Amino acid sequence: MIDKIKYCFLVLLVHLVSFGQSQITPIEWAKKMADSDQKRVPNPVYLDGVKFPKWNYTNGLVTLANQQLYDYTKEQKYWDYGLSYAEQLIDKDGKIGGGYELDKYSLDLINSGKILFEIYNKTKDDRYKIAMDMLHKQLEGHPRNSHGGYWHKKSYPWQMWLDGVYMADPFSAQFGLVFNDPKSIDDAILQAELIQKHTYEPKTGLNFHGYDEKKVQFWANKTTGTSSHVWGRAQGWYCMALVDILDFVPENHPKRKELIQILQKVYVAVLKAQDSKTGVWWQVMDQPGRKGNYLESTCSTMFVYSFTKAYNKGYVDKKFLKSAQKGFNGILKEFIKENPDGTISITKCCAVAGLGGKNPQDRDGSFDYYISEPIREDDAKAVGPFIMAGIEMQKTLDKK
């Protein structure tokens, strides 16, 4: 009885989160963030501070979040935002602009294709199917390691990163389901299996940022090939990827249960890594509290989204929902600020991080490297998952 009372109280806290003098539901937070971001960046081709229209994963992340917000609210402006991005970046012949080149073989360039499924379904405009076919063609020819794992980019030979599982594999699985291409679903699952096998960090149960099959990169462990730390956002990308891929894996698929088990194993480790005081997560997750480390918003929004969606789908139990609720409240307290013009901003966003560079001082995967990258506000990689988290959190309340 006491546990039930505690649970109801937690639900009430999320439903009536206070900010200033107002009381705002999760979906209202999601809308407030989307509205604020659209005010800051009215044209989505310029998301993430770019100076020219760009086909990039960050644009796709925010426009996908807006598309999901439209699906929930049916407010046209959220649909129009994503459609505007597609209309401007894909010409009448289906050619993707904004710097897209198939032979770059960058998994990052697949992510924006996720918005095209609904756009094509709604508009029946063939140019969007042509664009999806091009992205699928990229994956068909994408360089792979000896086990079939995609290189993160052609320019990063033999390397798999957690980030890439999110960039490419939900798209691949959805393409397979929508266009009856079972191999694309199998490929998506394979990538998750490989990255889990080769990046698993046994001490914490988390995942190293990446691994180099050849073990020759300056950042790679000479025995295992892995990088040396657990970076929060890479872990966040991976968590989102696992729950999103499952949307497109048929119930009778022989690997579905295995993929759910991977998700559960990963999520247990992430839950244990949650900061007990604030409810959010650290930039370098295997070094909590270390001097210079900080609580970071992009990974925190990604984990809250992932946990809540996984609970809504029935993959995890209520302790993950409770963790997500604590995380959502923590995000509001630690990272969200109200601006004089009535918009809101999300703070403490790691701007960028990766592995590899021209010399060992560049992106070496060390603790000092991860904490040295710029920190900024309103990064697309926090804005998008915050909107998604609000939607999923609202769905839990709708069930009550």
Side-chain angles (χ1 to χ4, degrees), residues 55-228:
W55 181 263
N56 197 30
Y57 71 96
T58 46
N59 307 69
L61 180 64
V62 174
T63 51
L64 181 64
N66 275 265
Q67 193 177 83
Q68 292 176 2
L69 193 56
Y70 167 78
D71 290 341
Y72 186 90
T73 66
K74 302 306 177 188
E75 293 188 35
Q76 191 66 32
K77 61 183 175 181
Y78 304 123
W79 171 264
D80 291 344
Y81 198 62
L83 179 62
S84 169
Y85 182 65
E87 286 180 332
Q88 292 177 82
L89 270 294
I90 299 171
D91 70 17
K92 61 181 177 60
D93 297 318
K95 182 180 179 181
I96 303 171
Y100 175 78
E101 295 176 26
L102 182 150
D103 58 9
K104 286 182 179 178
Y105 288 108
S106 168
L107 294 183
D108 289 346
L109 299 180
I110 300 295
N111 190 58
S112 288
K114 295 173 185 176
I115 68 171
L116 301 181
F117 293 96
E118 281 203 35
I119 291 174
Y120 175 61
N121 185 54
K122 193 169 182 176
T123 65
K124 308 302 182 187
D125 189 330
D126 286 341
R127 63 171 158 159
Y128 301 119
K129 175 61 165 60
I130 294 169
M132 285 187 281
D133 287 341
M134 178 61 68
L135 297 173
H136 178 246
K137 181 180 179 182
Q138 177 190 319
L139 290 179
E140 286 188 310
H142 203 92
R144 297 175 184 245
N145 65 23
S146 63
H147 299 105
Y150 297 133
W151 295 5
H152 190 64
K153 295 181 182 181
K154 183 180 179 180
S155 58
Y156 296 155
W158 306 105
Q159 301 171 40
M160 288 190 76
W161 297 8
L162 296 175
D163 319 36
V165 185
Y166 180 79
M167 300 303 158
D169 300 318
F171 173 89
S172 181
Q174 189 170 4
F175 190 96
L177 183 67
V178 173
F179 299 115
N180 192 27
D181 183 2
K183 184 181 180 298
S184 292
I185 299 173
D186 294 342
D187 251 341
I189 296 171
L190 174 64
Q191 306 310 309
E193 290 175 328
L194 290 173
I195 204 79
Q196 179 63 20
K197 178 180 179 180
H198 291 283
T199 65
Y200 178 71
E201 198 281 286
K203 184 177 179 181
T204 62
L206 296 165
N207 299 84
F208 291 115
H209 188 171
Y211 81 99
D212 167 24
E213 184 184 46
K214 298 300 184 181
K215 305 171 187 176
V216 298
Q217 295 298 319
F218 62 80
W219 50 261
N221 182 292
K222 299 310 176 187
T223 302
T224 65
T226 64
S227 56
S228 54

Side-chain angles (χ1 to χ4, degrees), residues 230-243:
V230 178
W231 176 42
R233 183 156 72 242
Q235 190 77 57
W237 289 128
Y238 184 39
C239 283
M240 292 202 301
L242 290 170
V243 74

Side-chain angles (χ1 to χ4, degrees), residues 299-372:
C299 71
S300 297
T301 57
M302 291 175 177
F303 294 142
V304 170
Y305 163 74
S306 300
F307 282 9
T308 313
K309 181 174 179 179
Y311 173 79
N312 288 338
K313 295 286 186 176
Y315 308 142
V316 297
D317 62 27
K318 282 184 178 178
K319 68 175 176 284
F320 290 90
L321 176 61
K322 292 178 181 179
S323 170
Q325 290 167 337
K326 183 176 182 179
F328 193 71
N329 285 318
I331 289 165
L332 296 178
K333 183 177 180 181
E334 298 292 327
F335 305 133
I336 299 297
K337 72 172 188 178
E338 191 161 18
N339 300 312
D341 63 357
T343 62
I344 58 170
S345 288
I346 187 162
T347 65
K348 296 290 183 69
C349 310
C350 172
V352 66
L355 295 168
K358 295 180 180 179
N359 60 68
Q361 284 69 52
D362 287 340
R363 309 202 322 173
D364 64 358
S366 66
F367 175 83
D368 288 341
Y369 162 67
Y370 285 120
I371 66 169
S372 72

